[in-house]
Amino acid sequence: MQIRARKSNIANNYTTSKNNVTFDLPHSLFNTYQLRLAIITFFLSFITQGQAQQLSFSKTHVEQGYSFKYQWLDHNKVGQAISFTLNQEGLFDRFRNFKTYQNSYAQKTIIRRIKREMQRNPIAGIQIFYRQQHDGFLIEVNGLDSDKVAKSYQTLARVESEVTQKYLQDNYYQAFTNHEQVNGIKVDHVSIANNSVADLKSLKPLILDHVSIQNIRKVTNYVLSFVQSIPYSTLESRITSSGAGFNPPLQVLWENQGDCDSKMTLTAALLRALMPRIDMTLIYIDGHAFIGIDIPGQANEVTIEHNDVKYLLAEPTGPALLPLGTLAPESELAINQGQYIAQDYHEVLSNEISKQ
């Protein structure tokens, strides 16, 4: 008796379709279908909130790497300045292999690795066939022993899961489900932030010259105003970009621009360098991303509770100068309606992404 397998989960999990899309970070502040309302909200928010203002930016090649100089106005319209040096390894080599996620290439690589693993550990009495289809790969198992065929499917499912996870991890991506239960692939911001911390530690004593580590609010607001003052770059839709346009933290500093997901990741990495043990969470809503920090909130400040931790929320994107605990109206609306996903960024990292 011959038994044939059904379609591989690779196609089901990682291809673009009506209900299952490959997508990346939020690259636009508003969705197209919300454009009219968003424009009105955006305009009104800037009537009441000041805009971040970067007064000057420069970078100069030095022996150790590159020297960066920034001047900007903070939330209180007070001039701030910081100068630091970043080495070339962190700037150009740390994420050299980070590339736009390409579904077809990923599937080919994953299926090749599955074949290699099954060749190293063959199962006697069965034959495995790998067939490419327009929307993925079909893996079939033929054999006369139905029990052996069933066990082969179990083995293939385990190998596929392990190989896929390893591929995504090595390339700084992860599986993601948004608040509408749409599945896809996005950049692993936690991993990228965590791997950027060492390169940003040189900023710690410089920032602490301005604010005390004993005052978490002052530290956080200093970082927020600095990142908010970096020019905002509107990039492609996260639904179709597959990682195109995302900049790791040091690349944001190098280019002196970034979108919401890039600036969120830079903020998380800077705060982790400054406060290694503080709990944080990364917040995703439609078309936007921001951050939560384990700091007690005050009256009228926006918070969420996630995995038994209460987080005070913050908007790193700019150009609105929003201090800790204050969100843009559309972000606060999404939080109030529960239309968000939160990802833990703790000292002990977790890859789990879960809803509120």
Side-chain angles (χ1 to χ4, degrees):
M1 180 179 68
Q2 292 185 333
I3 300 177
R4 291 181 176 268
R6 297 185 182 274
K7 187 179 293 185
S8 164
N9 286 336
I10 294 175
N12 294 333
N13 288 343
Y14 302 111
T15 56
T16 301
S17 65
K18 180 178 180 181
N19 296 315
N20 191 15
V21 297
T22 298
F23 59 93
D24 181 43
L25 320 169
H27 292 312
S28 172
L29 193 56
F30 311 109
N31 290 332
T32 302
Y33 67 88
Q34 294 175 321
L35 185 58
R36 289 184 179 179
L37 176 61
I39 290 174
I40 295 171
T41 303
F42 183 77
F43 176 74
L44 291 176
S45 70
F46 279 90
I47 293 177
T48 57
Q49 296 287 347
Q51 295 192 47
Q53 184 176 357
Q54 187 180 83
L55 302 178
S56 68
F57 163 75
S58 66
K59 60 187 177 188
T60 307
H61 185 265
V62 295
E63 184 177 352
Q64 301 90 338
Y66 281 85
S67 173
F68 292 77
K69 295 182 179 180
Y70 288 86
Q71 289 184 320
W72 73 98
L73 296 181
D74 65 13
H75 301 118
N76 298 314
K77 298 295 184 181
V78 175
Q80 301 288 347
I82 191 170
S83 301
F84 53 87
T85 298
L86 298 175
N87 63 46
Q88 297 195 59
E89 180 183 2
L91 284 168
F92 307 123
D93 296 334
R94 184 74 63 225
F95 299 101
R96 180 179 293 275
N97 295 326
F98 175 76
K99 296 179 175 62
T100 300
Y101 185 84
Q102 297 181 356
N103 188 63
S104 60
Y105 178 80
Q107 289 190 56
K108 290 176 183 178
T109 303
I110 290 168
I111 207 74
R112 187 167 59 247
R113 292 179 182 179
I114 292 173
K115 287 181 182 180
R116 189 184 309 141
E117 179 63 24
M118 297 309 294
Q119 288 170 355
R120 281 198 294 256
N121 300 282
I123 302 173
I126 62 99
Q127 291 180 306
I128 303 175
F129 300 93
Y130 306 89
R131 296 189 175 91
Q132 185 174 0
Q133 296 186 335
H134 70 281
D135 61 345
F137 283 88
L138 186 70
I139 300 180
E140 295 181 345
V141 177
N142 291 349
L144 299 176
D145 187 330
S146 59
D147 289 338
K148 189 171 288 188
V149 170
K151 290 180 180 178
S152 299
Y153 284 135
Q154 294 175 1
T155 300
L156 280 165
R158 175 183 56 79
V159 170
E160 179 184 337
S161 177
E162 293 172 354
V163 166
T164 300
Q165 179 62 29
K166 182 69 164 55
Y167 176 83
L168 294 176
Q169 183 178 342
D170 290 347
N171 291 277
Y172 295 101
Y173 284 93
Q174 62 185 173
F176 180 76
T177 303
N178 72 5
H179 69 89
E180 294 179 326
Q181 300 304 302
V182 177
N183 299 318
I185 303 297
K186 76 166 188 65
V187 174
D188 186 352
H189 307 107
V190 165
S191 180
I192 286 182
N194 202 51
N195 285 313
S196 301
V197 169
D199 297 315
L200 294 168
K201 280 190 175 179
S202 62
L203 278 70
K204 181 173 182 177
L206 303 174
I207 293 175
L208 296 185
D209 280 345
H210 295 82
V211 291
S212 170
I213 194 63
Q214 300 301 320
N215 192 321
I216 298 176
R217 281 181 170 269
K218 286 185 178 180
V219 171
T220 304
N221 275 323
Y222 183 90
V223 171
L224 282 174
S225 70
F226 168 59
V227 177
Q228 287 166 355
S229 74
I230 295 173
Y232 176 73
S233 175
T234 302
L235 301 173
E236 300 176 34
S237 167
R238 67 171 177 159
I239 298 297
T240 59
S241 66
S242 301
F246 172 77
N247 283 331
L250 270 66
Q251 197 65 28
V252 174
L253 298 174
W254 174 262
E255 295 186 1
N256 192 38
Q257 65 175 7
D259 64 344
C260 52
D261 45 325
S262 303
K263 295 177 79 172
M264 173 194 69
T265 307
L266 170 60
T267 302
L270 281 169
L271 293 177
R272 175 63 71 232
L274 288 160
M275 300 176 285
R277 293 177 178 82
I278 197 166
D279 287 347
M280 290 183 277
T281 186
L282 309 184
I283 311 294
Y284 303 92
I285 64 175
D286 287 340
H288 193 41
F290 42 96
I291 195 169
I293 307 164
D294 183 14
I295 302 173
Q298 299 177 355
N300 300 319
E301 292 184 330
V302 186
T303 63
I304 63 166
E305 187 167 329
H306 174 66
N307 289 342
D308 299 322
V309 179
K310 193 169 186 178
Y311 293 98
L312 185 59
L313 304 186
E315 290 261 18
T317 300
L321 273 170
L322 300 175
L324 182 63
T326 303
L327 297 183
E330 61 278 2
S331 300
E332 187 171 353
L333 178 63
I335 292 296
N336 292 337
Q337 294 178 341
Q339 297 177 349
Y340 66 91
I341 293 291
Q343 178 181 7
D344 289 335
Y345 181 24
H346 295 174
E347 182 184 13
V348 178
L349 299 181
S350 170
N351 288 326
E352 179 183 357
I353 295 181
S354 58
K355 196 173 179 181
Q356 57 171 346

